[in-house]
Amino acid sequence: MNEDMTAVCGDGLINIRVCAIIPKNGCLLMACNDHSDYLYTVGGRVKFGETAEQAIVREVFEETGVKLDIDRLGFIQENYFYGDAEPHEGKLIYEVAYYFYMKVPEDFEPVGMDFKEGDTTEHLCWIDPMTEKRQFYPEFFRTELFEPFEGVRHIVTDDR
């Protein structure tokens, strides 16, 4: 129990991930690290034995120091891509990601803007996804994020 939901499959990996959509004042809270030149969502892998909902609440707390509740599930993304960091660099990864809109109080601010993930220091930053020049993932945030819709959108991305 309590292992990340990542499994070897042939020469590649299958990964189950949860991601937080944390909007405030037209901006979005994202993360980055010193090893990559792109931004990514707050979140992480589901651990065996927990639900996606439990995982996103845990991940948001671990990374921001604040317990946020879930508003709703917004997107499910199936994503094929090649890993860019050890130990999975160059390996094909099939990832299923659940993107949850979080309930964000007006006075929300992360306890700190830096947090540790293993040996890596990660940094939080607020971006405007419509004008941000740096690469960020998922790319569909630029077009899909702030358009109102009901239900859950299913996105398939294949970067093979």
Side-chain angles (χ1 to χ4, degrees), residues 71-86:
D71 182 17
R72 68 184 182 89
L73 178 63
F75 304 92
I76 297 173
Q77 180 187 30
E78 293 180 76
N79 189 9
Y80 274 104
F81 63 96
Y82 289 96
D84 64 354
E86 288 297 329

Side-chain angles (χ1 to χ4, degrees), residues 47-111:
K47 294 192 180 296
F48 190 78
E50 71 182 351
T51 66
E53 291 89 353
Q54 291 167 330
I56 195 57
V57 170
R58 174 185 52 77
E59 285 286 347
V60 168
F61 181 74
E62 287 174 1
E63 296 179 16
T64 69
V66 180
K67 184 180 181 295
L68 293 180
D69 292 323
I70 296 169
D71 182 17
R72 68 184 182 89
L73 178 63
F75 304 92
I76 297 173
Q77 180 187 30
E78 293 180 76
N79 189 9
Y80 274 104
F81 63 96
Y82 289 96
D84 64 354
E86 288 297 329
H88 308 304
E89 188 170 2
K91 290 187 178 180
L92 182 61
I93 299 172
Y94 171 68
E95 182 172 81
V96 177
Y98 299 90
Y99 290 85
F100 291 94
Y101 285 92
M102 305 305 288
K103 292 180 182 175
V104 183
E106 280 189 36
D107 63 348
F108 170 78
E109 282 299 328
V111 170

Side-chain angles (χ1 to χ4, degrees), residues 17-21 30 40-42 52 56 70 72-79 95-102 137-141 145 149 151-153 155 157:
R17 179 173 165 73
V18 290
C19 309
I21 301 170
M30 299 290 280
Y40 44 89
T41 57
V42 170
I56 195 57
I70 296 169
R72 68 184 182 89
L73 178 63
F75 304 92
I76 297 173
Q77 180 187 30
E78 293 180 76
N79 189 9
E95 182 172 81
V96 177
Y98 299 90
Y99 290 85
F100 291 94
Y101 285 92
M102 305 305 288
Y137 294 102
E139 292 179 344
F140 69 80
F141 274 7
L145 193 60
F149 64 92
V152 177
R153 288 194 178 153
I155 308 277
T157 308

